[in-house]
Amino acid sequence: MTLQQIESFAAGAWIAPGEGARLIRSAVTGAPMAEAGNDALDVAAMLDHARSRGGPALRAMSFHDRARMIKALAIEIGKHKQALYDISFATGATQKDHLIDIDGGIGTMFVFASKGRRELPDGHVYLDGDVEQLSRNGTFLGQHICTPMQGVAVHINAFNFPVWGMLEKLAPTLLAGVPAIVKPATASCYVTEACVRIMLQSGLLPDGALQLVSGGLGDMLGRLSCQDVVSFTGSAWTANKLRSAPHIIENSIRFVSEQDSLNASILGPDAEPGTPEFDLFVKEVHREMTTKAGQKCTAIRRIIAPEAQVPALIEAISARLAKTTIGDPALESTRMGALVSASQKRDVLEQAAVIGREAERVFGDPESFSVEGADAEAGAFVPPMLFHCADPDSAERVHDTEAFGPVSTIMGYRDIGHAVELANKGMGSLVASVITHDPAAAREIALGTAAFHGRLYFNNRDSMKESTGHGSPLPHMVHGGPGRAGGGEEMGGIRGVMHYMQRTAVQGSPDILTAIGGNWVPGAKELEAPAHPFTRKFGELVIGETIHSPSRQITLADIEQFAEFTGDTFYAHMDEDAAAANPFFPGRVAHGYLLLSFAAGLFVEPNPGPVLANTGLDGLRFMKPVSAGDSIKVRLTVKKKTGRNEEYGEVRWHVTLTNQEDELVAEYELLTMNAH
Ligand code: NDP
């Protein structure tokens, strides 16, 4: 039988396996199927290719260009996903598992593409936070900026999610403007390789933006610099070995790690048998134990329940597990496939035996279970195994041993404080879930456990129909955890992009900050508009373009008319004595909304033109009250422009209202959509 040759993509060329290649066997049959790895891979040339070609090309693109590219890549992978499903069965995964890995990965790309367009500027610099006032007169200001790292991101991924594991790291990396070298786990690298081919063949990626190492990395990590990032998912053992290498420490090379995790799920004290929460809990536990045959970094390893409910739970979970058909993952009837390899099977059985020293196995026997459509001995099959730990306080191994398969341990708690203590005994995890309909219990558990967990997932009868599942990391939310889980964070929307960017505090004058950040900063030069800015198209408007309106006097009749017209007869506008008694007002004052309306009347250009709509107003502050007899005038400046689509873009205007003494009355940012 010919072995499939799983290639690497290095410095623009596909490299076949060579000296040092490793054999890959089917998880289902145990038969040799492929080989990957080549000791002669020129890792120095790969790094150079990424740094000299991929990085500059990506950095020349704006955030929005890169977001559009990520979306197009997701569409391209989606077109070929059947091919990825077909080859993924050999990893032991079922069709349902493929949806998590392949469709989940594509979905993650879409979310990052969309967030990139909505939350990042159509430029090259991301501004982190507001301008800081560092001087009395505002001539010296501060602003934090984020720019792409000028090196390469090396992604070392785990075997369990060959597609999602790559894409959830790749999307934020590319969005940041950093090229990636992806190194999947060898056991399932044939799926990753196929997905990389789809992306490269699309022609959407600049040269050098994506390279692939199938097999070992050689001495690549020893050649990294302070501009490079390592993002790792796998075992704590490997993570610790790699991150503690002197070269990594001496050069302060960023190392993002997501590793072992003893995730817990807590059944709330209110969730007795017969409640929707009890049934939901059983369903979630069963799903987490059996999806991907329990090979999920977020799977529930510890089931923490009120002591009185433990027997009923063991019975209910066992009943569901008993109905789980184990077998050839390609069969439609199969609910749980195989582990990824024989060595993982050995490892899981060893770890289960360790847990077995402190807990009694109450369901599942690795010596006796049936497998449909495949040979239980030849394939890496194990049955789901449920343990019961009667003394979780003195037990240690159940809280620190990750059997990376369908293995979970149930333990009882006396009260909420005890449940919190047990959950935190995992010493840092990716996720803990709490199934309760009692908000007070949820709050107590959240305050007690949040510091130990990267994500807390609450579910009950109100949210269960739309909830996303204990085990699903979402691109919008952070994925990672303290302590045993590696101390890292991935995704979390734009937070995840920041792992591949450098935050820099920039200090200088308003003109300097405006030039660097691309956003007009108050105090910077005002440009005189050649015509009213509302008559100018999106593309014609220039950052800093400003108009000053004539002034308008506010009369008592204006205030009374506005009050009568709108119904806003609040005493501060209508009752001189009551208003004067208020420490904020000298007497009756104009409504803030009256001032805003008059401001619009002062700056607007009424004829049809490129301004399509006023879509919002941000950061409104009223600084000084305006009384009858005072007058106001407006300054309107183009602060920021963000392209939205082919037809229009968003313009953010900085607006100030001042009185006859040139004192600031109000300040805000106005948003309009302007035609191109
Ligand atoms: P490993 O830590 O051995 O491998 C993870 C990744 O690191 C793989 O891509 C692997 O490549 C790579 N790797 C290993 N050694 C080196 C090295 N010296 N230099 C560079 N890269 C290296 O974990 P496994 O995937 O084998 O899984 C083992 C255990 O890890 C599981 O049983 C489970 O307990 C835990 N795990 C935890 C996860 C979590 O997120 N909680 C996720 C996955 C696994 P290669 O495959 O080529 O060796």
Side-chain angles (χ1 to χ4, degrees):
M1 184 189 164
T2 53
L3 293 176
Q4 202 187 331
Q5 302 292 292
I6 310 303
E7 299 185 332
S8 295
F9 186 72
W14 284 101
I15 310 291
E19 190 82 12
R22 279 155 60 184
L23 183 67
I24 303 169
R25 292 173 182 273
S26 159
V28 184
T29 64
M33 57 174 281
E35 59 179 353
N38 188 331
D39 290 346
L41 198 64
D42 190 347
V43 295
M46 290 182 79
L47 291 170
D48 181 57
H49 188 64
R51 290 172 184 145
S52 63
R53 303 288 289 270
L58 286 168
R59 291 198 296 277
M61 299 164 76
S62 71
F63 286 108
H64 286 204
D65 292 337
R66 299 192 290 256
R68 278 187 285 270
M69 176 183 79
I70 292 166
K71 183 176 176 184
L73 285 169
I75 292 171
E76 198 61 25
I77 300 169
K79 283 189 209 153
H80 296 88
K81 64 183 180 184
Q82 186 60 48
L84 296 176
Y85 294 159
D86 292 345
I87 57 172
S88 289
F89 288 115
T91 67
T94 63
Q95 178 60 32
K96 233 174 164 182
D97 297 334
H98 301 343
L99 296 183
I100 302 175
D101 185 34
I102 296 159
D103 294 73
I106 295 169
T108 298
M109 298 274 272
F110 277 124
V111 171
F112 273 100
S114 151
K115 282 193 163 286
R117 295 283 304 284
R118 277 187 288 117
E119 298 173 34
L120 296 175
D122 191 12
H124 301 88
V125 176
Y126 175 72
L127 301 179
D128 177 12
D130 293 334
V131 169
E132 298 288 341
Q133 198 77 27
L134 303 178
S135 59
R136 184 184 290 268
N137 296 319
T139 60
F140 187 71
L141 306 171
Q143 168 90 70
H144 291 95
I145 67 166
C146 298
T147 54
M149 305 283 283
Q150 295 187 15
V152 54
V154 179
H155 296 165
I156 302 175
N157 296 332
F159 62 76
N160 49 348
F161 289 109
V163 174
W164 177 85
M166 166 171 63
L167 299 183
E168 60 101 6
K169 289 185 175 124
L170 190 59
T173 302
L174 292 176
L175 193 51
V178 175
I181 296 176
V182 175
K183 187 253 171 294
T186 302
S188 56
C189 69
Y190 46 94
V191 185
T192 311
E193 188 231 38
C195 188
V196 166
R197 280 186 193 275
I198 293 167
M199 288 192 277
L200 292 173
Q201 278 163 9
S202 73
L204 291 162
L205 283 160
D207 193 20
L210 173 62
Q211 298 178 79
L212 172 74
V213 175
S214 301
L217 271 184
D219 64 350
M220 185 181 286
L221 299 188
R223 294 169 177 272
L224 299 185
S225 86
C226 72
Q227 288 299 302
D228 302 320
V229 183
V230 180
S231 185
F232 174 88
T233 305
S235 65
W237 190 87
T238 310
N240 292 339
K241 184 174 114 177
L242 299 182
R243 83 196 317 179
S244 63
H247 181 78
I248 300 284
I249 293 171
E250 280 160 19
N251 292 281
S252 305
I253 294 164
R254 277 191 204 175
F255 195 100
V256 182
S257 187
E258 200 246 286
Q259 52 201 52
D260 300 357
S261 183
L262 274 291
N263 313 295
S265 187
I266 302 173
L267 181 68
D270 55 311
E272 295 176 358
T275 61
E277 283 71 29
F278 186 90
D279 296 342
L280 174 63
F281 187 76
V282 171
K283 212 166 136 192
E284 291 248 14
V285 166
H286 173 260
R287 184 172 57 199
E288 291 306 320
M289 285 183 72
T290 55
T291 305
K292 289 288 297 183
Q295 299 168 109
K296 275 198 332 189
C297 49
T298 51
I300 296 171
R301 306 288 175 210
R302 296 175 305 140
I303 304 162
I304 302 175
E307 273 170 356
Q309 314 307 353
V310 168
L313 266 181
I314 292 176
E315 195 183 321
I317 296 169
S318 300
R320 269 190 101 101
L321 290 173
K323 286 198 210 131
T324 307
T325 311
I326 307 164
D328 176 354
L331 296 178
E332 260 182 47
S333 55
T334 295
R335 292 287 162 268
M336 190 175 99
L339 299 179
V340 75
S341 63
S343 75
Q344 275 304 119
K345 176 175 172 174
R346 266 194 308 278
D347 190 63
V348 167
L349 293 178
E350 272 171 32
Q351 304 304 332
V354 171
I355 292 170
R357 287 188 223 136
E358 292 178 342
E360 180 197 356
R361 200 177 64 228
V362 291
F363 184 88
D365 181 356
E367 301 300 327
S368 164
F369 65 104
S370 59
V371 171
E372 305 287 319
D375 180 340
E377 287 304 310
F381 294 96
V382 293
M385 285 172 261
L386 182 65
F387 288 83
H388 172 227
C389 178
D391 183 7
D393 294 319
S394 58
E396 288 175 8
R397 297 292 81 81
V398 298
H399 301 295
D400 68 10
T401 305
E402 186 183 42
F404 206 65
V407 181
S408 201
T409 306
I410 186 165
M411 52 196 84
Y413 71 79
R414 295 183 290 279
D415 51 30
I416 290 187
H418 189 212
V420 165
E421 209 178 292
L422 293 176
N424 293 350
K425 272 190 152 213
M427 293 313 288
S429 87
L430 297 170
V431 54
S433 56
V434 186
I435 308 299
T436 179
H437 198 231
D438 176 358
R443 178 180 152 82
E444 194 178 340
I445 295 171
L447 293 183
T449 60
F452 283 77
H453 301 86
R455 180 163 61 91
L456 290 180
Y457 169 93
F458 293 91
N459 205 359
N460 60 28
R461 66 192 77 178
D462 300 331
S463 51
M464 63 186 187
K465 285 214 171 64
E466 291 194 303
S467 60
T468 47
H470 160 108
S472 298
L474 300 175
H476 321 69
M477 311 301 289
V478 292
H479 175 53
R484 193 186 307 284
E489 239 184 47
E490 295 181 327
M491 302 197 293
I494 298 308
R495 292 175 191 86
V497 180
M498 295 307 141
H499 297 308
Y500 303 97
M501 303 190 87
Q502 176 63 41
R503 183 186 298 112
T504 306
V506 174
Q507 295 162 233
S509 71
D511 280 337
I512 298 290
L513 294 196
T514 297
I516 294 171
N519 273 11
W520 186 81
V521 171
K525 208 174 283 141
E526 294 175 11
L527 304 178
E528 199 176 324
H532 191 288
F534 278 25
T535 65
R536 284 157 61 68
K537 293 184 178 158
F538 181 80
E540 294 168 340
L541 284 171
V542 178
I543 301 293
E545 207 167 303
T546 301
I547 51 164
H548 289 268
S549 79
S551 70
R552 165 174 188 148
Q553 195 175 50
I554 313 291
T555 66
L556 198 57
D558 288 333
I559 298 173
E560 286 183 343
Q561 200 182 338
F562 190 81
E564 194 183 326
F565 182 46
T566 61
D568 179 354
T569 53
F570 188 60
Y571 72 88
H573 315 302
M574 307 307 288
D575 181 333
E576 183 64 31
D577 293 339
N582 180 322
F584 282 92
F585 303 121
R588 288 177 74 179
V589 294
H591 305 68
Y593 303 118
L594 167 67
L595 301 177
L596 290 187
S597 305
F598 279 163
L602 287 168
F603 66 62
V604 85
E605 148 60 46
N607 296 313
V611 177
L612 303 175
N614 172 355
T615 53
L617 189 155
D618 280 348
L620 172 63
R621 289 282 174 283
F622 294 115
M623 280 99 159
K624 202 167 170 61
V626 171
S627 308
D630 288 347
S631 51
I632 57 161
K633 56 186 185 304
V634 186
R635 178 183 55 67
L636 181 78
T637 304
V638 179
K639 175 175 177 175
K640 180 180 178 186
K641 290 168 50 180
T642 310
R644 285 282 175 243
N645 59 29
E646 305 286 298
E647 287 158 44
Y648 52 82
E650 182 187 85
V651 182
R652 184 175 282 269
W653 310 79
H654 187 260
V655 187
T656 54
L657 272 61
T658 46
N659 64 16
Q660 64 281 1
E661 309 290 342
D662 275 336
E663 294 166 319
L664 205 52
V665 165
E667 185 173 28
Y668 56 96
E669 290 181 0
L670 175 75
L671 300 170
T672 60
M673 285 298 173
N674 288 39
H676 283 297

